[in-house]
Amino acid sequence: MDFLRAAAHKLGVDLDENQQAQFERYRELIELRSKQFNLTGLKTWEKIRNELFIRSLRVLSPAGGNVPTPEWFTDKRAIDIGTGAGIPGIVLKIALPELHITLVDSNQKKTNFLTEVVNALELSNTKVINGRAEELAQQNDHREQYDVVFARAVARLNELAELTIPFANIGGTVILPKSHGSEEEVEEAAAAAEILGAAPAITIPVNKPGNSPPDDMVYWMKISSTPDKFPRSNGIPHQSPIKSR
Ligand code: SAH
């Protein structure tokens, strides 16, 4: 826990006793439930701490330039698409209690787990939705309703563009943690991102805190409305990602 606290501190986030207890309880629930179903491949405390918790916190790394700083996240409306065990959504919610977050996953076992976590940790302003991004982004309650959209380890960027950009409001930001070396994927997704309403991607290499392999944070700023026909039906963004106009 000290290592996690130190990592958060490097980002300007000082975890109080309640937040530390929340991380502890979250870790216990991950360990318990991942014995019962396929929740996450990372099952030891060291892996949960390094690969799930600390690596998620890298989203808050003050990257400088034209991208969000940790303070920026306070009070924002966020959504995490394909959150799985709550990565990065739950981690960020614990670190930033003022964040309003919606956690989306199509897998019912995972969303049941997330509901258990939200109740056990007494997380405020946290909504769990079992559903597909393609359908939710066509609903007025969710379409262009979020200041920040996260998705980690869900799909290649050319598909992910269609699953994330429609949720961002104009002026909002899509933040996608990717393993370092994402240039080719970013390039491959450039036409899709533009069609969906994003400015050209900004990619920032981030290797701190923690000792996980280096990541790239890929940012898409939403500058115009997503055309009505996107996202297309379930599975289509995967089967035939948008290529060009
Ligand atoms: N973000 C987590 C989980 C990654 S696994 C992490 O980084 O550990 C990808 C998750 O995305 C799975 O739980 C899967 O159920 C979910 N998923 C995949 N496609 C989806 C879609 N179209 N809509 C909602 N959830 C989706």
Side-chain angles (χ1 to χ4, degrees):
M1 204 38 79
D2 284 348
F3 195 53
L4 176 65
R5 233 175 57 210
H9 178 77
K10 285 199 184 111
L11 299 168
V13 176
D14 286 312
L15 301 175
D16 65 19
E17 275 178 20
N18 181 49
Q19 288 167 301
Q20 290 174 53
Q22 287 176 320
F23 271 118
E24 192 60 50
R25 186 83 187 99
Y26 183 29
R27 160 220 179 159
E28 286 169 5
L29 287 169
I30 293 174
E31 285 178 340
L32 174 69
R33 298 302 173 206
S34 62
K35 291 193 183 109
Q36 297 164 346
F37 70 99
N38 184 16
L39 177 63
T40 165
L42 304 164
K43 299 181 203 291
T44 66
W45 165 227
E46 200 182 337
K47 289 208 164 128
I48 293 170
R49 181 192 64 195
N50 293 352
E51 296 301 318
L52 298 182
F53 294 178
I54 295 178
R55 213 167 175 181
S56 292
L57 290 175
R58 286 181 176 180
V59 169
L60 305 177
S61 187
N66 195 20
V67 297
T69 59
E71 295 73 40
W72 180 86
F73 288 93
T74 309
D75 255 348
K76 288 291 186 287
R77 266 196 80 165
I79 189 166
D80 185 13
I81 303 300
T83 186
I87 306 300
I90 297 256
V91 174
L92 296 173
K93 175 63 194 175
I94 297 173
L96 305 171
E98 306 299 319
L99 192 69
H100 291 228
I101 189 140
T102 298
L103 304 161
V104 173
D105 204 284
S106 55
N107 180 312
Q108 180 89 52
K109 282 187 180 163
K110 291 181 180 175
T111 49
N112 289 347
F113 168 79
L114 295 167
T115 302
E116 182 181 23
V117 173
V118 170
N119 292 333
L121 274 53
E122 300 183 29
L123 297 176
S124 61
N125 297 317
T126 306
K127 218 159 120 184
V128 175
I129 301 181
N130 178 250
R132 300 231 8 150
E134 295 93 323
E135 292 175 18
L136 292 167
Q138 287 292 358
Q139 298 171 6
N140 291 338
D141 283 358
H142 301 290
R143 188 178 185 83
E144 305 198 327
Q145 294 299 309
Y146 296 91
D147 304 306
V148 53
V149 184
F150 302 109
R152 191 191 89 142
V154 176
R156 273 182 87 79
L157 291 171
N158 59 353
E159 171 186 351
L160 207 48
E162 194 169 347
L163 301 180
T164 56
I165 295 169
F167 289 100
N169 54 29
I170 293 180
T173 308
V174 179
I175 305 181
L176 306 166
K178 281 275 164 185
S179 292
H180 186 55
S182 65
E183 298 84 1
E184 201 179 305
E185 242 189 281
V186 169
E187 184 52 37
E188 180 190 48
E194 186 191 349
I195 290 167
L196 294 161
I202 296 173
T203 304
I204 311 273
V206 177
N207 61 7
K208 294 230 157 43
N211 45 25
S212 304
D215 289 311
D216 286 339
M217 290 300 152
V218 178
Y219 299 87
W220 277 317
M221 313 284 174
K222 181 94 169 252
I223 51 173
S224 59
S225 261
T226 299
D228 291 347
K229 67 172 175 181
F230 299 114
R232 294 163 294 166
S233 317
N234 291 347
I236 305 293
H238 179 71
Q239 280 162 32
S240 52
I242 301 167
K243 284 199 178 73
S244 59
R245 283 185 190 282

